[in-house]
Amino acid sequence: MKHLILTALLAVFSFQLSAQDHGEKIDRNKLKALKVAHITEQVNFTQQEAQAFWPLYNAYEDQRTALQEASKERKKENLEGISESAAKQYLNTLLKIEEDYHINQKEYYAKLERVLSAKKIIKVIQANRSFRKKMIEEFKDRHKKEYKK
């Protein structure tokens, strides 16, 4: 049943990607639903594990996204003509964001250890990676088709 749901979601997502114009963004809610389905299928949570896991995961993802956005904003700044002291401050800010990212990740794993076995935590990590890989492959395939036109 889970395979059927995931296959259906991936088919809908693939169709959505191919139907979109080149400049359009992917609907984040659809992407999130696909990611949830993928992780759920890969990890095979019990009902109790799922109830404990998803709030932790969502909070972690929100914090991670906020840190990524902060980093992107800093990296967009024009650095031409800034002083050495301003450059050092800029670099320290980027390093602080990276440090916060790693602290957030450590705290997340510590919280997960309270609700999941180490094996399932590894499965979550692998599921995140395999989902990202699938999305990158989908993106590449989509762009290959666009260039052939």
Side-chain angles (χ1 to χ4, degrees):
M1 183 65 170
K2 287 181 184 176
H3 283 349
L4 180 62
I5 292 170
L6 183 62
T7 303
L9 284 171
L10 286 174
V12 168
F13 182 68
S14 296
F15 178 75
Q16 289 287 338
L17 282 178
S18 63
Q20 290 179 347
D21 292 333
H22 180 67
E24 256 183 78
K25 289 189 176 182
I26 299 167
D27 183 349
R28 288 187 189 268
N29 290 331
K30 288 179 186 174
L31 190 59
K32 188 173 182 176
L34 287 170
K35 191 173 189 180
V36 167
H38 181 80
I39 292 171
T40 299
E41 177 190 7
Q42 297 295 310
V43 180
N44 196 25
F45 295 115
T46 66
Q47 185 176 359
Q48 186 178 8
E49 289 171 336
Q51 287 175 341
F53 170 76
W54 288 111
L56 294 174
Y57 181 82
N58 291 333
Y60 167 74
E61 283 290 303
D62 290 346
Q63 290 173 331
R64 191 178 64 81
T65 300
L67 290 168
Q68 285 176 334
E69 291 299 320
S71 180
K72 282 180 192 177
E73 286 303 312
R74 292 300 305 204
K75 290 176 181 177
K76 287 181 183 178
E77 293 177 18
N78 185 0
L79 300 177
E80 290 298 317
I82 68 168
S83 68
E84 183 64 19
S85 64
K88 283 182 182 181
Q89 184 178 7
Y90 174 85
L91 181 58
N92 286 334
T93 301
L94 289 180
L95 291 172
K96 176 68 172 127
I97 291 170
E98 285 294 318
E99 183 181 335
D100 289 347
Y101 175 79
H102 291 294
I103 289 169
N104 181 38
Q105 194 171 34
K106 279 182 162 183
E107 290 172 355
Y108 168 64
Y109 289 137
K111 289 175 185 176
L112 282 184
E113 286 179 331
R114 294 183 209 132
V115 297
L116 296 176
S117 68
K119 285 182 178 183
K120 286 210 175 175
I121 294 171
I122 292 168
K123 285 182 178 185
V124 168
I125 294 166
Q126 291 173 335
N128 270 310
R129 287 184 182 146
S130 65
F131 181 78
R132 188 171 33 253
K133 184 178 176 185
K134 281 183 182 184
M135 293 303 101
I136 290 169
E137 288 171 5
E138 179 70 34
F139 179 79
K140 285 179 183 177
D141 288 346
R142 180 176 136 209
H143 279 75
K144 282 181 190 176
K145 290 175 188 175
E146 287 179 11
Y147 289 124
K148 289 181 181 180
K149 290 181 182 179

